[in-house]
Amino acid sequence: LRANISVIQRETGFVNGLIAVLHDITEQEKLDAERREFVANVSHELRTPLTTMRSYLEALSEGALHDKELAPRFLSVTQYETERMIRLVNDLLNLSKMDSRNYEINANWIDFVKFFNHIIDRFDMMKERDITFKRLLPNKVIFVEVDEDKITQVIDNIISNALKYSPDGGQITFRLKELDGKVEISISDQGIGIPKDNIDRVFQRFYRVDRARTRQLGGTGLGLAIAKEMISAQGGEIWAKSKEGKGTTILFTLPYDPVQEDDWS
Ligand code: ADP
């Protein structure tokens, strides 16, 4: 709130009164500030991989190209940075689509337990480190109406993080619970955790607990922000619980009506 205050003063110097005009500009100012910060963040995020690539390419052109040991290493760095930039730009496009409401929810009734199992299987096959997957999923069919592609992306982002921040030998636990009018999905890891004060901020765009570290792990800082947009577009909620040094659980809900499901089938 901003106040413009005018003082009504007589020639004698006595103050006769005050006029205060109050403007509610906080919302607009906040939006402007957020937009500026976002643009600054995007520029910074793109500049980092670009400057890295420039110095590696320079080194290559100044002779490293003919060094049998250095050349492949330098090329793989530029390749890695290119991949990360592509991910970043894709994430940005996704977010901007969601911001402009220029996207559709393609919801279908799917057997959610089976769908969840498929995604977990995919990560189980691909994972390169010693991390155990534990599934605590109901052994029954639960039909939920969701946009498969979008929920796949949400779950992919959460599992990728769980793997990234897990120690070797750690365990990731997948749960699905039926609650009143919704299903609750959770993914827990035994990784580094998130400090208590930052727990809600991890859903903000570009927020990272440890910038340097997460960038090194290939993150864009947008994964959970995208997940949040996608879950709320489908009427659900997403949040995190964590203990530093012990692990993190990301939970989300989706509307679910077992009665409708019975009618429908
Ligand atoms: P990033 O691409 O950096 O992983 P995200 O939006 O997916 O971006 O996550 C934001 C930040 O939240 C991460 O940089 C990390 O600091 C923290 N975070 C997310 N998931 C976990 C997790 N499972 N364990 C610890 N920290 C996490």
Side-chain angles (χ1 to χ4, degrees):
L1 206 67
R2 177 179 290 171
N4 284 342
I5 299 175
S6 316
V7 180
I8 306 169
Q9 216 168 7
R10 284 190 180 169
E11 276 163 26
T12 54
F14 284 111
V15 173
N16 237 11
L18 290 171
I19 299 175
V21 183
L22 305 175
H23 305 270
D24 189 7
I25 49 162
T26 40
E27 202 50 38
Q28 188 57 41
E29 266 183 3
K30 226 176 90 194
L31 279 176
D32 287 346
E34 273 172 14
R35 201 166 298 137
R36 275 197 298 274
E37 193 187 327
F38 184 67
V39 173
N41 274 328
V42 171
S43 319
H44 180 77
E45 292 297 331
L46 285 171
R47 199 180 54 186
T48 311
L50 282 170
T51 47
T52 306
M53 281 164 63
R54 184 177 57 191
S55 43
Y56 279 86
L57 289 172
E58 260 168 26
L60 280 165
S61 73
E62 282 164 11
L65 186 61
H66 304 294
D67 185 317
K68 277 210 166 63
E69 211 195 297
L70 285 182
R73 262 175 49 205
F74 285 11
L75 280 173
S76 92
V77 172
T78 58
Q79 220 161 5
Y80 176 83
E81 292 297 332
T82 313
E83 294 297 335
R84 201 163 75 80
M85 269 201 306
I86 293 173
R87 273 203 302 280
L88 180 64
V89 172
N90 281 336
D91 281 355
L92 285 169
L93 285 172
N94 254 322
L95 273 176
S96 108
K97 252 199 230 160
M98 290 190 281
D99 284 343
S100 64
R101 310 246 169 263
N102 180 20
Y103 72 110
E104 283 169 30
I105 293 287
N106 266 320
N108 286 306
W109 289 94
I110 57 163
D111 174 353
F112 204 89
V113 179
K114 192 171 155 197
F115 162 77
F116 196 19
N117 266 315
H118 273 309
I119 301 180
I120 303 169
D121 287 342
R122 178 157 51 79
F123 278 93
D124 213 358
M125 295 268 286
M126 288 189 321
K127 70 180 197 284
E128 289 163 350
R129 291 166 51 220
D130 168 30
I131 290 169
T132 317
F133 282 4
K134 184 172 172 188
R135 307 178 200 212
L136 298 175
L137 311 178
N139 193 10
K140 63 186 262 202
V141 173
I142 296 180
F143 273 106
V144 185
E145 195 181 19
V146 294
D147 184 321
E148 268 179 90
D149 288 347
K150 295 204 170 64
I151 298 300
T152 301
Q153 197 182 344
V154 169
I155 298 175
D156 276 8
N157 289 349
I158 300 172
I159 303 180
S160 307
N161 282 342
L163 284 169
K164 261 196 294 198
Y165 300 108
S166 277
D168 283 332
Q171 177 172 287
I172 299 179
T173 309
F174 303 90
R175 293 186 179 83
L176 193 159
K177 279 191 217 159
E178 278 178 77
L179 302 175
D180 196 19
K182 57 194 172 190
V183 283
E184 184 187 274
I185 293 94
S186 71
I187 297 168
S188 312
D189 63 57
Q190 300 174 327
I192 57 171
I194 301 166
K196 210 170 171 199
D197 297 344
N198 302 338
I199 195 96
D200 293 323
R201 300 186 66 193
V202 296
F203 296 98
Q204 289 172 8
R205 295 173 187 195
F206 291 119
Y207 181 79
R208 293 151 167 139
V209 175
D210 178 343
R211 266 180 182 264
R213 183 190 171 124
T214 48
R215 208 178 280 127
Q216 229 173 33
L217 291 169
T220 63
L222 294 174
L224 288 179
I226 290 178
K228 187 173 179 164
E229 294 281 346
M230 287 182 167
I231 293 295
S232 52
Q234 289 180 68
E237 281 182 278
I238 184 165
W239 69 103
K241 288 182 191 167
S242 187
K243 267 221 166 90
E244 238 184 316
K246 290 258 191 280
T248 302
T249 300
I250 306 286
L251 305 99
F252 69 87
T253 58
L254 287 167
Y256 162 64
D257 180 357
V259 179
Q260 197 176 338
E261 176 205 314
D262 288 345
D263 288 348
W264 186 81
S265 51

